[in-house]
Amino acid sequence: MNTSRRQFLHRLALSAVSLPVLPTFANNFTQFTEPSSSDQPMLRVALMGLGSYAERVAKAMQQCKHAKVTALISGTPSKLDKWGATYGVPEESRYNYQNFDRIKDNPNVDAVYVITPNALHREHVIRAAKAGKHVICEKPLAISVQEGQDMLDACAAAGVQLLVGYRMRFEPNTLAVVKKRMAGEFGAIRFFQGQCGFVAGDPNQWRLDKALAGGGSLMDIGIYAINGARYMVGEEPIWVTAQETKTDPVKFREGVDETIQFQLGFPSGAIASCLSSYNIDFLDRYFLSGEKDFAEMQPSTGYGPIKGRTKAGDLKQPHVVHQTVQMDEMAQILLQNKKPLLPVDGKVGLQDLQIIEAIYRACETGERQTLQLRA
């Protein structure tokens, strides 16, 4: 690892940045408690990148029935010590970014959850795969289609599975709408709208660094609208148009998008109109319109509870912490070959990257881009 990357990881570990639009997570740790016993196998997870989102995942996993934290990977020794004591992770299962390849010799790890900046995903996923561990990678999968394909190829070569942290694909109210659509209750789908955005704070955060984030709002928050359009409409888009708006070129430098509007077209004739922004608050809404019914969800992608309604009334599925549900479901996918209602494998992440690249091309050229997602 070169000096600049080492310095970046150290800086990131010292001051992780959380998403302003989402609820702030408490900084204090609570003592780890062993999940309830189960006859089912337990997924043993190494968390990589101990920032604010990893903290959210670790705390949520205390309530998991099928997954637990058994190893830690960080560039900050003090975090390894603190987290190790909190979550009962022994010193021999604590790694830094230079030596974590040794995890291949740790029988107490089944999967590595990569929660590092976007530009580091490729390296970290490939190294984890070569160590013989399944990999869960936070979204976006990578910063380019080529990097994403490299990651899929590496996992396939190693005989391990690659999943992407699309927590909304397990959220109960979201799935209730998807099931209604699958059952034909909406009739033919005509329109989807996805609005995702917040005002990005610290101008020095890594999410506003093109080299580390791979872009701007679209890579971080707009991907929810992209992914949501796919599972809400139930089809894959075949074309995209897009327009970029930038009001603050100092904060949002070249290659870091501030606000993008994009439109997707689907084989049936359904269309999607979406908005992704780092400079507009309170954007967290999905709207689905069919010939027989509609679904409106607001908030639609925040940490919850997710709320919504259809013609029949309010969505009433109970709220469970998203990361708890996600990790329990992923444990069953990896260990028991469970087939989720909505897939979360690396191919889904790669397809989102194809759409993202097409959106950026549409912004640059002003022309409609044809899509043919990789099967």
Side-chain angles (χ1 to χ4, degrees):
M1 179 180 292
N2 60 38
T3 301
S4 62
R5 182 171 288 183
R6 222 172 11 245
Q7 290 172 340
F8 164 71
L9 287 169
H10 180 67
R11 185 172 72 252
L12 177 65
L14 290 176
S15 57
V17 181
S18 60
L19 291 175
V21 75
L22 301 175
T24 303
F25 208 55
N27 291 324
N28 60 302
F29 285 84
T30 54
Q31 186 60 39
F32 174 77
T33 55
E34 191 71 22
S36 59
S37 60
S38 171
D39 293 335
Q40 303 297 328
M42 184 75 69
L43 183 72
R44 298 162 297 182
V45 180
L47 294 180
M48 174 186 288
L50 306 184
S52 60
Y53 190 71
E55 182 176 344
R56 183 179 291 276
V57 171
K59 289 186 175 182
M61 286 180 67
Q62 292 186 73
Q63 306 305 316
C64 282
K65 297 179 180 179
H66 304 289
K68 64 179 178 180
V69 178
T70 60
L72 302 166
I73 305 166
S74 174
T76 306
S78 60
K79 279 197 172 185
L80 289 171
D81 291 341
K82 185 174 184 178
W83 285 54
T86 300
Y87 295 104
V89 176
E91 190 170 349
E92 60 269 21
S93 291
R94 305 173 197 170
Y95 304 88
N96 58 44
Y97 293 106
Q98 289 74 41
N99 69 16
F100 85 83
D101 305 273
R102 289 190 229 157
I103 207 166
K104 69 178 182 295
D105 299 318
N106 190 337
N108 204 35
V109 174
D110 302 305
V112 177
Y113 194 162
V114 176
I115 316 178
T116 52
N118 306 342
L120 304 183
H121 288 180
R122 178 187 181 277
E123 175 193 339
H124 291 159
V125 167
I126 291 175
R127 287 172 66 184
K130 288 182 176 179
K133 306 301 180 183
H134 297 301
V135 190
I136 302 166
C137 183
E138 256 312 298
K139 58 84 189 163
L141 178 64
I143 61 172
S144 71
V145 171
Q146 184 57 60
E147 287 199 359
Q149 188 64 61
D150 292 344
M151 295 155 68
L152 266 71
D153 291 345
C155 289
V160 300
Q161 293 190 59
L162 172 60
L163 305 180
V164 186
Y166 289 126
R167 58 186 169 83
M168 301 314 300
R169 288 184 167 232
F170 301 112
E171 195 280 320
N173 277 318
T174 301
L175 291 184
V177 173
V178 171
K179 289 175 182 177
K180 284 173 68 69
R181 189 259 301 157
M182 289 178 168
E185 295 181 30
F186 292 101
I189 301 300
R190 304 299 193 199
F191 176 72
F192 171 80
Q193 183 180 57
Q195 301 175 338
C196 301
F198 61 91
V199 175
D202 180 7
N204 298 313
Q205 62 181 286
W206 69 262
R207 290 181 177 86
L208 301 183
D209 184 336
K210 172 67 160 60
L212 294 169
S217 70
L218 188 66
M219 297 287 283
D220 182 33
I221 193 73
I223 195 171
Y224 284 108
I226 293 170
N227 200 260
R230 296 173 64 194
Y231 61 70
M232 284 291 183
V233 174
E235 300 179 57
E236 299 296 11
I238 56 175
W239 58 259
V240 59
T241 55
Q243 307 81 38
E244 181 178 3
T245 302
K246 186 171 292 192
T247 63
D248 188 346
V250 175
K251 183 176 183 179
F252 303 102
R253 297 180 292 276
E254 181 68 25
V256 179
D257 48 285
E258 175 187 325
T259 300
I260 290 182
Q261 300 173 76
F262 60 94
Q263 302 79 40
L264 301 171
F266 298 87
S268 67
I271 55 174
S273 176
C274 301
L275 179 63
S276 166
S277 182
Y278 265 165
N279 203 31
I280 305 174
D281 258 334
F282 313 115
L283 291 181
D284 187 2
R285 179 178 179 268
Y286 282 176
F287 180 78
L288 183 71
S289 179
E291 61 181 355
K292 298 179 181 178
D293 201 348
F294 72 92
E296 182 177 31
M297 305 177 71
Q298 187 174 14
S300 59
T301 64
Y303 292 146
I306 300 302
K307 296 184 178 181
R309 65 191 179 97
T310 67
K311 282 202 313 185
D314 292 341
L315 300 173
K316 297 180 179 180
Q317 297 300 313
H319 172 67
V320 182
V321 174
H322 296 177
Q323 293 78 10
T324 302
V325 178
Q326 173 191 313
M327 295 310 295
D328 266 341
E329 289 293 319
M330 286 185 166
Q332 294 173 78
I333 292 169
L334 293 174
L335 298 181
Q336 302 176 51
N337 295 315
K338 180 177 180 179
K339 301 300 181 186
L341 183 69
L342 297 174
V344 291
D345 54 78
K347 183 181 74 173
V348 175
L350 184 67
Q351 291 166 333
D352 276 349
L353 290 175
Q354 285 185 261
I355 298 171
I356 286 172
E357 288 192 356
I359 290 172
Y360 283 140
R361 287 196 304 271
C363 287
E364 291 171 3
T365 65
E367 298 176 352
R368 176 187 288 198
Q369 300 296 306
T370 300
L371 287 168
Q372 187 172 0
L373 300 187
R374 299 188 187 186

